[in-house]
Amino acid sequence: MLCGVGGQGILFAAKVIAASAEAAGLQVTTNELHGMAQRGGSVTAQVRFGEELFSPLFAPGEADALFGMEPVEALRWAHYLRPGGQAVVSLARLIPVTVSMGQATYPADVEERLRRVFGGLRLVDGAEVASSLGDARLVNTVLLGALSAHLPLAASCWEAAFRRIVRPQLLEANLRAFASGRGD
Amino acid sequence: MDESKRQLLSGNEALARGAWEAGVRAAFGYPGTPSTEILESLVTYPGVYCEWSPNEKVALEAAAGAAIAGARSLVTMKLVGLNVAADPLMTLSYIGVVGGMVVVVADDPGMNSSQTEQDTRHYARLSKLPVLEPGDAVDCRAFMLEAFALSERHRCPVIVRTTTCVSHSRFQVPCGERQAPVDAHFERNPQQFCPLPIWGRRLREKVEERLQAQSAENSASGLNRVFRRGDALGIVSHGVTALHCAEAFPEASVLKLGWGWPYPDGLLRAFAGSVRRLVVIEEGDPMVEEHLRALGFACEGKETGLVPRTGELRPERLRAIRAALEGVPGAVPGPVAEASDLPGRPPLLCAGCPHRGVFYALTKFDVIVTGDIGCYSLGVFPPLSRTDTILCMGGGFTLAHGMVQAGERRPVVGVLGDSTFFHSGMTGLLNMVYNRGRAVLVVVDNRTTAMTGHQDHPGTGRTLMGEATQEASIERIAEACGVRRIRVVNPYELQATVEVFREALSADEMTLVISRAPCILKERVRLGASPCVDAGRCKVCGACLKLGCPALELSRRGEPPRVNGSLCNGCGLCAQVCRFSALTCPGTGEA
């Protein structure tokens, strides 16, 4: 289960996971939302891989892993994760306009909430990524690395996926970010 | 099938692939979520003429011309597009085609990005044309090949109905080679192609004969699939819903209808007779369910309250249906308690969007705003809240006219976009001039079809094939219609925009205002430097927040806002509305 805000690279992450599963010789499906949802709205994607799949969708409580590019969005879609599943969440907050307008508040305790909700949780700090890798935009690749440690796909499959999807000039930076997330 | 030829394709990309392999010669369409990517994908293949037509009616007629002249043709649209294109479709069913013609209509159960939830299968029945319903991208490619063959076998267009989930889900699709395309070469046959009553009545009879033949053919068709598991419970479903069912009901037999209409009566009878309990799970209206009852089979479904009547039938809802059937708890988890008070994240006009200036300027006047379909539909949301109606493409102009002519005393402003203007706004403009209407009409011209992902249209000077072409001028069209007061504004100049509206609203004849600035998301250029917030000058009055700009973030009440530099495009609107000079754009002084 992937979630975040339009423009955060959710579709890119879905693509990488799918390509990695393909490299492993598995059947794979993805489902993504387009249209209205792209304009700063909450965005989700689902990726499934395995031996025999019919539907491209799963129900709440069935995801093995949750990939959250934004803390509030991770909470919003947390119920999709099965008990015992693993969450990887970026701490970088995107303040919704409903908050700016004073209609709603951004939970100050969002980090504690994440820790309460998710048994298996890896938090990634964008500022830390920026200082160690030189580019805060690599957060989603770091998250993919963290996620990969909990998915049954070999490191070589992930590398093959990045080689297929990422432009050559960005490949090295992405592989480094992936390795740092994975903990290699 | 060669494994190396498998590609991870979305349903829309697979439809394009299938059409290309089928030797499609020409393809037409108008963008509309969730159908848009079909033509965007098809145009990347060699040897197919592809175009964005100004609207779906034009697209369908052009495709009909190609197919009547013997070339395989494709037309694509979203559900509501078929409302626009329904007129030619009905008659085309009678006169038929020579080359195969496929009409792809993408439905949107759950209304993810559409104003209605209409079920295109009704149009199949109304037009008496076959409808195929692929369930995944593998089906999309294969059904497209079969749709062209079916179309030529029966000399009628074939409708392919997808849904949002089908169009936007990726599967590994086995791909093949392209059949040789055939150029158009029309052969005269007025008794076939001119449905004057003397010939039309015979064509009408032939349509009924065709339906009988198709129903029989459907019963034996490989487009339908049976998941045979047991005889205690049988589920009749279709498209992707049947695939959800195959997983949600692992012990039930599932009939997945791939050819939705004319109904395969033989197959339905055989399946219904082979199970002890019959359930029909349809996404859309209970059409098959009613038909099964008409055939004399007792079944459960929407009419018995088992299956929800509205919305997308996602796996969680199928689990609930299963729980109801078996009388066991089957509730899936709802949002966690920690998510009960989360701030909402509605879709918004982007930071730097040129439409924002127009809607903000309109907040300065007590007017009724009749809006339309496009990114600017988002002008309805707070804090701008400057759209009062949204009906359909073109309705922004025509509703304004109707209100005024019927005696509405407050000023009415009709707003629509450039692509919508060419789609069906032009006729409304012409009507207002002709019938002496007095509303203020606005074209928010961002030089693209933005909401669906930046498609070209007659005003952009470029075709879908990437060729430079004549650029239609909104002003000159308006002049030709007889509009005397035309004002072009730069929506980033707020004061000037407000003044144009002030003048237009006080005039005693209609005014066309063209707000012209390219879509910020398409051009991907910064308009200027991001403004700095001077916390000392900021009076925390909240005026800038009334722009509803996602780049202006207020974390805590009573504090100055923060400019999110990664979202801000430097459009400068916030600096213009700040009366205390607390927001200044570097390099421009006071902005």
Side-chain angles (χ1 to χ4, degrees):
Chain A
M1 181 77 196
L2 293 82
C3 56
V5 177
Q8 282 194 313
I10 293 297
L11 302 188
F12 167 80
K15 233 172 162 174
V16 173
I17 300 168
S20 174
E22 276 200 296
L26 296 168
Q27 202 189 326
V28 57
T29 72
T30 73
N31 176 269
E32 53 207 44
L33 268 176
H34 293 232
M36 275 293 218
Q38 283 183 324
R39 303 289 183 265
S42 172
V43 170
T44 62
Q46 295 192 359
V47 183
R48 302 184 75 197
F49 56 87
E51 298 293 342
E52 192 187 32
L53 304 171
F54 297 117
S55 162
L57 298 178
F58 48 78
E62 294 181 354
D64 295 311
L66 181 135
F67 175 99
M69 280 297 291
E70 208 279 343
V72 153
E73 296 311 310
L75 288 172
R76 202 188 307 282
W77 302 100
H79 57 297
Y80 271 80
L81 192 64
R82 67 170 165 79
Q86 175 71 29
V88 297
V89 180
S90 166
L91 278 173
R93 302 175 183 195
L94 275 183
I95 307 295
V97 78
T98 48
V99 171
S100 300
M101 289 176 340
Q103 296 173 339
T105 48
Y106 196 100
D109 61 341
V110 72
E111 202 173 320
E112 291 109 84
R113 291 191 194 196
L114 290 170
R115 291 184 198 284
R116 234 177 11 247
V117 168
F118 297 114
L121 173 67
R122 165 85 184 274
L123 293 171
V124 175
D125 183 344
E128 215 175 276
V129 172
S131 68
S132 66
L133 296 164
D135 191 343
R137 284 173 303 180
L138 289 168
V139 166
N140 56 5
T141 304
V142 175
L143 276 186
L144 278 171
L147 177 74
S148 73
H150 301 276
L151 295 181
L153 298 168
S156 58
C157 297
W158 290 96
E159 191 179 326
F162 278 102
R163 286 190 187 284
R164 227 176 94 185
I165 288 166
V166 178
R167 277 182 294 160
Q169 58 269 40
L170 300 175
L171 182 63
E172 269 317 301
N174 270 283
L175 290 177
R176 256 199 331 274
F178 181 80
S180 93
R182 193 176 168 88
D184 288 350
Chain B
M1 192 67 66
D2 182 359
E3 282 296 296
S4 67
K5 295 255 177 81
R6 287 203 313 176
Q7 298 180 32
L8 188 67
L9 300 180
S10 71
N12 282 345
E13 291 165 349
L15 287 166
R17 176 77 202 190
W20 182 76
E21 287 183 24
V24 69
R25 178 65 181 78
F28 310 82
Y30 184 79
T33 310
S35 72
T36 313
E37 301 86 2
I38 304 168
L39 287 194
E40 290 185 320
S41 174
L42 186 57
V43 75
T44 65
Y45 290 92
V48 190
Y49 171 78
C50 295
E51 75 170 37
W52 291 128
S53 310
N55 67 37
E56 295 85 354
K57 179 177 184 287
V58 172
L60 194 140
E61 290 161 358
I68 284 171
R72 286 192 164 186
S73 71
L74 175 71
V75 57
T76 71
M77 61 198 70
K78 70 181 296 177
L79 59 161
V80 286
L82 190 54
N83 300 337
V84 178
D87 184 18
L89 186 70
M90 299 301 144
T91 312
L92 188 60
S93 173
Y94 285 28
I95 70 176
V97 294
V98 177
M101 174 169 161
V102 176
V103 182
V104 178
V105 186
D107 281 0
D108 190 12
M111 300 167 70
N112 298 288
S113 46
S114 307
Q115 61 271 46
T116 69
E117 200 175 45
Q118 63 196 55
D119 184 338
T120 288
R121 294 179 300 165
H122 289 296
Y123 270 114
R125 225 158 88 157
L126 182 60
S127 63
K128 300 181 183 289
L129 292 170
V131 58
L132 308 189
E133 298 184 78
D136 60 24
V138 177
D139 280 355
C140 282
R141 172 193 160 272
F143 282 29
M144 185 60 94
L145 284 159
E146 179 52 28
F148 276 106
L150 179 64
S151 170
E152 283 178 8
R153 221 162 40 235
H154 292 278
R155 298 181 70 114
C156 67
V158 171
I159 299 171
V160 172
R161 178 207 188 208
T162 76
T163 62
T164 301
C165 184
V166 176
S167 282
H168 289 166
S169 293
R170 290 175 190 279
F171 283 77
Q172 291 146 303
V173 180
C175 298
E177 302 299 321
R178 174 159 159 93
Q179 300 168 24
V182 177
D183 282 348
H185 184 79
F186 179 66
E187 288 182 26
R188 288 197 179 89
N189 184 359
Q191 299 187 18
Q192 181 71 36
F193 297 128
C194 304
L196 304 173
I198 46 165
W199 297 324
R201 290 186 197 105
R202 174 73 196 116
L203 297 175
R204 173 75 188 87
E205 296 298 328
K206 278 183 155 177
V207 168
E208 292 306 312
E209 291 163 21
R210 188 176 77 204
L211 290 177
Q212 294 300 319
Q214 286 176 351
S215 173
E217 198 179 312
N218 189 359
S219 280
S221 170
L223 294 164
N224 307 308
R225 176 176 176 190
V226 178
F227 296 81
R228 180 64 66 186
R229 275 98 164 237
D231 60 3
L233 176 63
I235 295 170
V236 179
S237 189
H238 60 157
V240 71
T241 315
L243 297 176
H244 300 328
C245 288
E247 291 193 7
F249 296 87
E251 280 101 44
S253 288
V254 178
L255 167 57
K256 173 179 177 288
L257 293 174
W259 180 350
W261 198 83
Y263 301 120
D265 285 355
L267 177 64
L268 288 172
R269 283 200 176 93
F271 184 82
S274 74
V275 294
R276 294 201 296 276
R277 191 175 186 183
L278 188 63
V279 169
V280 188
I281 301 182
E282 292 173 88
E283 206 164 57
D285 295 317
M287 295 177 63
V288 177
E289 181 182 336
E290 285 168 4
H291 186 64
L292 274 164
R293 274 197 204 99
L295 289 177
F297 293 98
C299 57
E300 296 161 81
K302 291 182 193 255
E303 301 287 0
T304 63
L306 174 70
V307 179
R309 280 189 176 271
T310 62
E312 194 175 4
L313 294 179
R314 299 175 65 90
E316 51 269 35
R317 300 180 86 186
L318 294 174
R319 300 229 181 346
I321 293 169
R322 185 180 175 190
L325 267 175
E326 297 174 356
V328 295
V332 296
V336 297
E338 285 79 0
S340 61
D341 62 344
L342 296 181
R345 213 181 281 275
L348 292 167
L349 294 175
C350 301
C353 174
H355 299 332
R356 180 169 285 107
V358 171
F359 289 112
Y360 183 81
L362 285 172
T363 63
K364 301 296 169 195
F365 304 96
D366 180 20
V367 292
I368 296 162
V369 180
T370 53
D372 213 293
I373 314 283
C375 283
Y376 43 89
S377 299
L378 300 173
V380 71
F381 291 122
L384 295 167
S385 306
R386 226 49 193 142
T387 295
D388 298 304
T389 65
I390 297 173
L391 180 63
C392 60
M393 297 284 284
F397 282 5
T398 44
L399 263 65
H401 177 67
M403 283 187 192
V404 171
Q405 299 305 76
E408 174 58 53
R409 290 181 196 283
R410 284 163 292 175
V412 186
V413 179
V415 178
L416 48 72
D418 42 336
S419 194
T420 305
F421 178 78
F422 297 114
H423 180 283
S424 47
M426 289 163 55
T427 41
L429 177 78
L430 177 67
N431 182 54
M432 189 175 294
V433 178
Y434 168 54
N435 286 306
R436 305 164 61 86
R438 273 190 307 95
V440 174
L441 300 185
V442 186
V443 179
V444 284
D445 179 8
N446 63 358
R447 318 296 299 150
T448 187
T449 316
M451 182 59 110
T452 45
H454 303 120
Q455 290 74 32
D456 281 299
H457 62 61
T460 66
R462 188 157 290 277
T463 69
L464 177 56
M465 303 288 280
E467 293 160 336
T469 184
Q470 178 65 40
E471 195 177 310
S473 159
I474 297 169
E475 295 93 310
R476 292 181 61 191
I477 289 169
E479 278 167 21
C481 289
V483 181
R484 284 182 299 198
R485 297 169 51 84
I486 300 172
R487 303 288 182 271
V488 180
V489 299
N490 174 355
Y492 295 115
E493 294 173 2
L494 271 186
Q495 199 49 45
T497 305
V498 169
E499 285 314 315
V500 162
F501 280 126
R502 194 185 308 285
E503 187 219 345
L505 288 164
S506 62
D508 56 4
E509 62 175 332
M510 67 162 293
T511 306
L512 176 69
V513 178
I514 301 169
S515 157
R516 183 164 289 147
C519 171
I520 194 74
L521 209 59
K522 177 164 192 233
E523 297 298 315
R524 295 209 180 266
V525 291
R526 287 192 68 86
L527 295 164
S530 295
C532 303
V533 182
D534 184 335
R537 288 184 168 186
C538 178
K539 304 279 190 253
V540 202
C541 68
C544 57
L545 299 177
K546 289 185 180 155
L547 287 165
C549 177
L552 277 174
E553 299 180 346
L554 183 73
S555 305
R556 206 163 285 141
R557 273 172 192 257
E559 282 182 13
R562 203 177 68 85
V563 177
N564 183 330
S566 67
L567 293 176
C568 176
N569 275 297
C571 75
L573 287 190
C574 57
Q576 291 177 52
V577 302
C578 180
R579 289 186 293 133
F580 307 106
S581 305
L583 284 154
T584 49
C585 299
T588 57
E590 288 284 295

